[in-house]
Amino acid sequence: MEKIPFYRDTRYISILLQIIFLVLVIAALVILGLNMTRSLERQNLSFSFSFLTGPAGFQIAEGPAFDPSESYLKAFWVGIVNTLRVGLTGIVLATILGFVIGISRLSSNWLVNRLAFFYVEFFRNTPLLVQIFFFYIAVVLQLPAAKQGYNIPGWFYLSNAGMTIPGLIPTANSWTYVLLVLAGVAGSVFLARAIKNNLVGVLLPLVLAVVGWLILKPFGIDHPELGNFRVTGGSTLSAEFTALLVALVLYTSAFTGEIVRGAIQAIDKGQWEASRSLGLNYGQTLQLIIVPQALRILVPPLGNQYLNLMKNSSLAVAIAYPDVFNVASTAGNQSGNNLQAMTIILVVYLTISLIISMLINLYNRSFNIRGAR
Amino acid sequence: MRKRTLALLTLSLTSLLSAAQADKLDTVKKRGKLVCGVNDKLPGFGFLDSNGKYSGFDVDFCKAVAAAVLGDASKVQYVPLTAAVRFTAVQSGEVDVVFRNTTYTSSRDGEVGMDFGPVTFYDGQAVMVMSKSPVKKITDLDGATICTNQGTTTEQNITDYFRLKKKQFKLLTFQDFDKVMAAFDQGRCDAVTTDASGLASRRAAAKDPSDYRILPETISKEPLTPFVAQGDSQWRDIITWVVYATLNAEEFKITQKNIDTFKTSADPNIRRFLGLENNGAKGFGLANDFAVDVIKAVGNYGEIYERNLGKKTKLNIPRGLNKLYTQGGLMYGVPFR
């Protein structure tokens, strides 16, 4: 029998194809790299990150306190904190809302079912950027300007600059107080279990917290004041943050809702029937039988949604919320280090995404092992 | 067979790399089109109208360069650039030159890797408020929220100004000025800031210009200048001399209409300007009579100014510093000699 030539032998072909592919990828990277180095050289530029230590010279509207005389590095840090602030809040809210939407989609109540359906179709099928602009320009900015805004003087202000409530000013006793309250809560829970009285577990920490507050005076209260142009003091939820958060949450929860619905529908019908035959009602069945099993199916795609939300938060640049992308493009532009700024952006998002992905995988694994025989 | 493929691959790779190195003049001539970066949202300077046509002061200079290099002012492909991406577009070679209200600064010339031509418009940063606002001068804006667009010198200028005056403010930066104006109109910003010419342009384009008031102070020098990628001095020379050609023409009182009557001029300065005698333009790769093409296409500096920003336009920006040096301004056409 004639020997099969190696280029027709499937054992070799698969390896060969992979080698060819690898070579092509490396070649492409080398070309891009050479191209970049050459054009930088041609323009007498160097790829260095030394600009990071120089003073930024621009202002950042919100986030951790930042002075224009501080370094670019600090500016990037403020941007990262702002990204995490909107991203993590968004993840929590989108998860909660997504579960509500997903379960509503399966509801036998016609109205609830239809509302959830329209919600999902609407938010899933319109671009996120448009939604962000919509919530910013057509909703949040339509609130009256700071001076004409809704308010309870000294306590609450709502205007198109955002919502301001009193803030807490930490004192020397703050940490002691927080630790004492945490210890108090743990103790009460332990006690409540021991004496089998849940009321104690709820009331005792409350009493402890109030008494502790009166004795230690752990926080001062920072009352917001209406200045000439805007509200100063207190803690503010800015218009930009609100619009971005709302858009991200609504958009992501539509996808999350579909994932939840899919996961629940993937559970065998027999589980419902068995549960019903044991005398459990709809809510109990969902809570005790269906959702725990559905979680196993929905956690990996849910993780993808978390990654999407985090990455989508970079659209903040469109509405002046100073997230890391916004700050980095300003920094790159002001200092002329666009390439470096882009590199930093890539590294930041990659790091955040990999961490989220790792946590989701860990959670998922713990689940599957518990579920395995 | 295999060797040939490899050789071909290597060849195409090297050509890919070297293509980026060819000089701009050849690239533009070969392409038959000038790729010019402009603003598309600043009426009077660079604006894309509803018919898809670009017009404005900066746009006319794109046409002038195309006329000089390709002999045809219509051979321009306009690329709208935001403030934030304009330098990257030049660094990456996406555009050949940018005429887009950009301030000439040392860091942009040095670290950002740009080469600048002559100033086409002397400007300064100003602040605009709503007419009904009680603010009289910039320091009255203590505690206010001010909006501008991202990646501009104005961000740092206004920050410096408030720091020097020891006043507080909040700065919101948007990627394009339309969003800045939207936030301003909704009352999210108490004031907007950018170059005085930009504010004048925005006010003129508004539904009711009397809604806005520009504060009297100018807080910075903003020499607006065309720029190209660093490292191609021939190409930069071309941009430079196209701009100077428009200034020289105004000094000689040569206009789009009367230029042909100067052919018989006995003045050697004018004869050199028109390329009737050698003027050195061949040294940077243009024909000696390139200025004739430029003036026939767009007119002299004064004509470009009047057409886009002058008294008969909505903007009506006084020429001020942009007058010829002979009339007390800063505009000075370097001699053709």
Side-chain angles (χ1 to χ4, degrees), chain B residues 281-322:
Chain B
K282 288 215 168 83
F284 43 82
L286 292 183
N288 270 331
D289 65 345
F290 78 94
V292 176
D293 291 328
V294 169
I295 304 306
K296 279 189 172 168
V298 297
N300 66 39
Y301 182 86
E303 290 179 279
I304 298 171
Y305 194 101
E306 288 308 317
R307 180 164 60 236
N308 297 297
L309 314 168
K311 288 191 192 76
K312 287 180 189 152
T313 65
K314 264 187 177 178
L315 273 78
N316 190 11
I317 303 175
R319 255 184 89 170
L321 292 177
N322 296 299

Side-chain angles (χ1 to χ4, degrees), chain B residues 190-242:
Chain B
D190 304 301
V192 291
T193 182
T194 189
D195 300 341
S197 63
L199 294 177
S201 158
R202 282 287 164 172
R203 189 174 59 174
K207 262 188 211 130
D208 185 0
S210 68
D211 282 348
Y212 306 121
R213 183 157 48 85
I214 298 175
L215 299 179
E217 305 114 300
T218 306
I219 65 169
S220 68
K221 293 186 285 185
E222 310 285 336
L224 306 186
T225 309
F227 57 95
V228 297
Q230 191 164 285
D232 186 344
S233 68
Q234 183 189 39
W235 183 239
R236 192 249 293 256
D237 285 349
I238 291 172
I239 306 299
T240 302
W241 283 97
V242 166

Side-chain angles (χ1 to χ4, degrees), chain B residues 132-145:
Chain B
K132 54 179 194 285
S133 159
V135 171
K136 291 277 182 297
K137 52 185 195 301
I138 297 175
T139 44
D140 290 346
L141 285 164
D142 192 11
T145 302

Side-chain angles (χ1 to χ4, degrees), chain A residues 43-45 72 333-337, chain B residues 87 91 102-117 119 152-153 156-157 160 221-228 230 236:
Chain A
Q43 293 165 43
N44 278 327
L45 299 174
Y72 279 111
N333 234 288
Q334 295 295 7
S335 65
N337 293 288
Chain B
F87 300 115
Q91 281 169 342
T102 298
T103 308
Y104 182 10
T105 69
S106 58
S107 65
R108 286 169 176 179
D109 203 348
E111 291 158 13
V112 186
M114 298 294 123
D115 269 347
F116 287 83
V119 176
T152 58
T153 46
Q156 291 175 318
N157 289 337
D160 286 352
K221 293 186 285 185
E222 310 285 336
L224 306 186
T225 309
F227 57 95
V228 297
Q230 191 164 285
R236 192 249 293 256

Side-chain angles (χ1 to χ4, degrees), chain A residues 48 70 151 162 187 223 231 234 259 368 372:
Chain A
S48 123
E70 290 182 278
N151 65 74
H223 291 277
V231 179
I259 292 171
N368 283 341

Side-chain angles (χ1 to χ4, degrees), chain A residues 69-91:
Chain A
S69 61
E70 290 182 278
S71 69
Y72 279 111
L73 201 63
K74 176 82 188 290
F76 274 100
W77 168 246
V78 173
I80 293 171
V81 170
N82 282 340
T83 291
L84 291 174
R85 209 154 66 98
V86 77
L88 297 178
T89 321
I91 284 176

Side-chain angles (χ1 to χ4, degrees), chain B residues 10 23 231:
Chain B
T10 333
D23 56 68

Side-chain angles (χ1 to χ4, degrees), chain A residues 97 101 115-128 131-132 134-135 246-255:
Chain A
L97 190 57
I101 296 295
L115 278 179
F117 171 74
F118 285 124
Y119 176 92
V120 167
E121 293 308 315
F122 181 81
F123 285 106
R124 213 166 53 127
N125 294 308
T126 47
L128 177 57
Q131 292 176 24
I132 290 175
F134 177 80
F135 284 110
V246 168
L248 283 174
V249 166
L250 295 184
Y251 183 78
T252 312
S253 67
F255 289 91

